[in-house]
Amino acid sequence: MDVNGKGLKVAYQGCPGAYSEAAAKKAYPNCETVPCEHFDTAFQAVQNWVADRAVLPLENSLGGSIHRNYDLLLRHSLHIVGEVRLAVRHCLLANPGVKIENLKSAMSHPQALAQCEHTLTELGIEHREAVDDTAGAAKFVAEQMLQDTGAIASSLAAKLYGLDVLAENIQDDKDNVTRFMMLAREPIIPRTDKPFKTSIVFSLEEGPGQLFKALAVFALRQINLTKIESRPHKERPLRVSDDCLLKNFDYLFYVDLEASMADPKTQNALGNLKEFATFLRVLGSYPTDVNEP
C-alpha cells in the first residue's frame, strides 16, 4: 500500500458514480472502491475486514451535518484518520433524446433535490422524487428508460449509465462543498509538523455553566474549535431534573479542535475535560485537508 491508496479497499455509501465514490478516489486515488447500500454497511465493511478504509460524509456547506454518521461514529470503534473536501457539482441527467421540456419529475437524494430546488422550479420541473443516493437515481432512470423523469447526479454517473447531461452546475448555491471523513480500524500517529485536527465526543453533568466550563479548557490553552455539534444521548435519552418533575434530553457534544494529539497542550486540555465530563472519547487526530475542494 502507498500514500495514494494502492492496494487499499475503500468503502463508500451509494452506487458507482456517487459523490462519495469521487471523495474516496480523491482521498485514495489508486484504491479499489467498495460500494455499500447504507452508511452502517460501510462502517461494518471496515470493522469486518471487508474493506481497509471507509470514506463517508460528515457535513455539507448547504445542508449541514449528516447526523446519522455522527451517531454511527459512537456505535462503532473505527478511528478518523483523515478528511477530504469535495465540491459538489450537480447535473440534470436524462435518457438520450429526452429534452428538458419533456421532464415532469426529478429524482435524486433529498439533499440534492433541496440544493437544486430553485433551479428545478425555473426549469418547469415541479415534481420531486427522493431516493437513497444520487447515482442510484441515475441508474434507475437509465434502467427504466424513463422519458419524463430526470436524475440529479454527477457527470460521472451520466457516463456510467449512458445518460445525457442536460444542464450542469444546477445547484442553487455554487459554493456547495461536502466534508468527508476517512475511517480505519487503527488510528494514525499524530504529528505537530503539519496542520492537524482532533475530533472528540463528550457528555456533561446537568447544571449552569457546564458547557462553558468544558469549552474553557480549550480557550484557556488557545486551542481553536472549528465545529461543535450536539446530539441526544441514545443510551440515556432522558434525565430527571432536580425537582423530579421534568425530564430533559441528555446530550453528547461532538467537537473538532484545530490541534494535534501530539501537542502537550491538547493532552492537557483533554485531561482537564476528563476531570468533570461524564464521558469522553477521542474519535481521531488526523491531518487537516488544506487542498482546494
Side-chain angles (χ1 to χ4, degrees), residues 124-171:
I125 303 171
E126 297 296 337
H127 184 67
R128 319 279 190 265
E129 189 170 346
V131 293
D132 287 341
D133 71 280
T134 56
K139 183 179 180 182
F140 183 83
V141 167
E143 288 180 344
Q144 300 300 314
M145 292 297 294
L146 300 179
Q147 301 299 302
D148 62 353
T149 300
I152 298 174
S154 66
S155 56
L156 174 60
K159 294 177 183 176
L160 286 175
Y161 301 112
L163 299 176
D164 286 347
V165 177
L166 302 186
E168 295 182 293
N169 291 333
I170 65 168
Q171 60 275 4

Side-chain angles (χ1 to χ4, degrees), residues 32 37 43-44 47 60-61 71 77 110 118 120 134 137 172 174 186 195 200-201 224 242 250 256 262 276:
E32 175 188 343
E37 187 173 357
F43 273 85
Q44 291 173 1
Q47 205 154 295
N60 175 265
S61 58
D71 295 338
S77 57
H118 180 67
L120 289 174
T134 56
D172 298 334
K174 302 310 177 188
E186 299 295 332
I200 64 171
V201 56
N224 188 42
D242 291 339
D250 203 4
D256 287 347
F276 57 90

Side-chain angles (χ1 to χ4, degrees), residues 42-53:
F43 273 85
Q44 291 173 1
V46 179
Q47 205 154 295
N48 296 333
W49 295 78
V50 175
D52 304 294
R53 300 282 191 277

Side-chain angles (χ1 to χ4, degrees), residues 140-215:
F140 183 83
V141 167
E143 288 180 344
Q144 300 300 314
M145 292 297 294
L146 300 179
Q147 301 299 302
D148 62 353
T149 300
I152 298 174
S154 66
S155 56
L156 174 60
K159 294 177 183 176
L160 286 175
Y161 301 112
L163 299 176
D164 286 347
V165 177
L166 302 186
E168 295 182 293
N169 291 333
I170 65 168
Q171 60 275 4
D172 298 334
D173 190 325
K174 302 310 177 188
D175 294 324
N176 185 4
V177 177
T178 299
R179 183 168 75 99
F180 292 80
M181 58 181 170
M182 298 142 70
L183 296 169
R185 288 180 292 274
E186 299 295 332
I188 61 171
I189 298 172
R191 296 161 55 176
T192 57
D193 60 341
K194 60 193 299 188
F196 257 65
K197 274 185 186 174
T198 297
S199 295
I200 64 171
V201 56
F202 61 88
S203 59
L204 301 166
E205 291 287 357
E206 178 70 25
Q210 286 294 308
L211 182 56
F212 174 83
K213 184 179 176 183
L215 299 182

